[in-house]
Amino acid sequence: MSKSEIDALTAEFFGAFDNRDGKAADVARIRRLVIPGGVIVLTGPKYTAYTVDEFIEPRERLLADGRLVEFAEWETSERTEIAGDIASRFGEYRKAGVLDGEPFEGGGTKTMQFVRTPEGWRIAAFSWWDRPCPREDTSS
């Protein structure tokens, strides 16, 4: 049962950013998915460590103010290891949307650490690395 619970928690995490078809993104749900004091780290292109609120606030604005629309991200592959009340997931993801009127696509790698709490599985930490977006060749 633990693997299916972690799969559902991961899908709920990715779904928090979805604002396709005029739907409001629910980034605030991450406060429920991540334990208090959880660690969030972007490794590249610019290393940044966040608290949960530092991570949520700018993304809530970006997904609600009309700059980033039709956005979604989703996991494309994963491997999850579970040992008792801890688990680790390493996965690839894709994302797509329209930022400032320009369509874009991208992807990267996320790693998530989970712990089983009295309320069920929660995210203790996650880190991600976005693959650099290929630029159009303008030399020809």
Side-chain angles (χ1 to χ4, degrees), residues 82-102:
I82 302 167
D85 291 336
I86 61 172
S88 181
R89 187 177 191 108
F90 199 84
E92 299 294 313
Y93 70 96
R94 299 283 306 151
K95 60 185 175 180
V98 178
L99 178 62
D100 296 329
E102 295 292 323

Side-chain angles (χ1 to χ4, degrees), residues 12 14 16-17 23 25 27 30 39 42 44 46-47 50 54-56 59 69 76 80-81 93 95 102 119-120 125 131:
E12 187 175 358
F14 279 101
F17 305 96
K23 175 175 67 174
V27 184
I30 292 172
V39 177
L42 168 63
K46 182 180 176 195
Y47 172 85
Y50 301 94
E54 288 170 342
F55 175 79
I56 290 172
R59 286 157 183 83
V69 296
T76 58
T80 302
E81 293 186 29
Y93 70 96
K95 60 185 175 180
E102 295 292 323
E119 295 78 37
R131 268 190 295 295

Side-chain angles (χ1 to χ4, degrees), residues 19 58 61-71 97-102 104:
N19 72 352
R61 277 194 309 276
L62 182 63
L63 288 160
D65 70 5
R67 286 190 56 219
L68 179 56
V69 296
E70 297 304 314
F71 182 77
V98 178
L99 178 62
D100 296 329
E102 295 292 323
F104 75 94

Side-chain angles (χ1 to χ4, degrees), residues 135-140:
R135 301 213 181 261
E136 290 185 22
D137 182 5
T138 57
S139 61
S140 51

Side-chain angles (χ1 to χ4, degrees), residues 8-20 23-34 55-56 59-64 68 71-75 110 112 123 126:
L9 177 60
T10 302
E12 187 175 358
F13 171 84
F14 279 101
F17 305 96
D18 191 327
N19 72 352
R20 292 175 294 177
K23 175 175 67 174
D26 184 15
V27 184
R29 85 170 75 157
I30 292 172
R31 288 184 184 94
R32 180 176 47 80
L33 304 178
V34 178
F55 175 79
I56 290 172
R59 286 157 183 83
E60 276 183 321
R61 277 194 309 276
L62 182 63
L63 288 160
L68 179 56
F71 182 77
E73 64 177 16
W74 59 96
E75 195 172 51
K110 276 192 173 53
M112 304 173 104
I123 299 166
F126 68 90

